[in-house]
Amino acid sequence: MVRKKGIKRHVALQPLSRHHMLGLHVGLKLSRAGTKESKISLEEIITDAKNFWEGAEEHFREEEEIVLPTYAKYADINKPEIIEMLLEHVTIRSGMKQLLEDQLTLAELRDLGVLLRNHIRREEQVIFPMIEKSLPEEELEKLAPYLHEHNE
């Protein structure tokens, strides 16, 4: 049996990547909410999403206020991938705010889950590799103390 190897992430970015794994699970649960594919209740899904969001707000802040400004010192920040990432942060924040206030329909919950999963995949497959390629090793190492675990 051939074992798939995960993405090798620079140690400084690993806390964010580990949190992304949690986000992928939450996104999957949200995208399946109220369907036959869902293995858990809607209440459990919403609770999981709320717990995830407690750390995700800080996660977004670290990406926006620490990682991207450092990246901007070494590469052009005005890229469609970066712009899309930031716009998705706003959309996800809005969706999670509505989720916290119990203002989302089932269809909106599912859409939020799909958005969250796609957003995380783009960060892991496109954004983080761009950052790792552009930043010198010493700059990546300088990021490490400022990026934290955001697990439930």
Side-chain angles (χ1 to χ4, degrees):
M1 180 170 161
V2 176
R3 189 166 179 234
K4 283 180 79 175
K5 293 185 179 186
I7 296 172
K8 293 286 185 189
R9 188 64 59 226
H10 189 278
V11 68
L13 297 176
Q14 286 177 7
L16 296 177
S17 285
R18 283 190 288 274
H19 193 247
H20 281 162
M21 289 302 298
L22 293 173
L24 286 172
H25 290 287
V26 168
L28 181 63
K29 291 174 190 176
L30 285 168
S31 68
R32 291 179 174 177
T35 69
K36 292 179 184 177
E37 295 174 307
S38 182
K39 306 277 189 250
I40 60 176
S41 71
L42 184 57
E43 293 75 26
E44 289 173 292
I45 293 169
I46 291 171
T47 298
D48 286 352
K50 288 177 178 180
N51 290 337
F52 166 75
W53 187 243
E54 289 175 15
E57 287 184 286
E58 183 69 13
H59 173 113
F60 279 16
R61 189 195 66 72
E62 289 175 3
E63 289 176 343
E64 294 167 2
E65 297 178 14
I66 298 167
V67 176
L68 290 180
T70 302
Y71 173 72
K73 293 190 314 189
Y74 296 92
D76 181 17
I77 199 85
N78 189 16
K79 293 183 176 169
E81 300 91 339
I82 302 293
I83 294 166
E84 186 70 20
M85 171 190 171
L86 294 171
L87 291 173
E88 287 174 350
H89 278 192
V90 172
T91 305
I92 292 166
R93 278 186 174 110
S94 175
M96 291 306 293
K97 181 178 186 305
Q98 291 175 68
L99 181 141
L100 292 171
E101 296 170 354
D102 299 317
Q103 296 178 345
L104 292 181
T105 66
L106 202 49
E108 291 168 332
L109 276 176
R110 288 189 205 115
D111 289 345
L112 179 59
V114 170
L115 173 62
L116 184 60
R117 289 171 62 207
N118 291 339
H119 171 77
I120 290 169
R121 284 190 185 115
R122 186 172 8 271
E123 283 190 359
E124 286 293 330
Q125 296 169 2
V126 178
I127 305 293
F128 281 14
M130 285 176 13
I131 291 166
E132 290 170 326
K133 183 179 177 187
S134 298
L135 269 61
E137 178 65 24
E138 60 272 8
E139 283 296 324
L140 283 163
E141 289 174 7
K142 287 180 189 176
L143 291 175
Y146 302 101
L147 305 178
H148 304 93
E149 296 289 336
H150 299 289
N151 300 333
E152 301 174 59

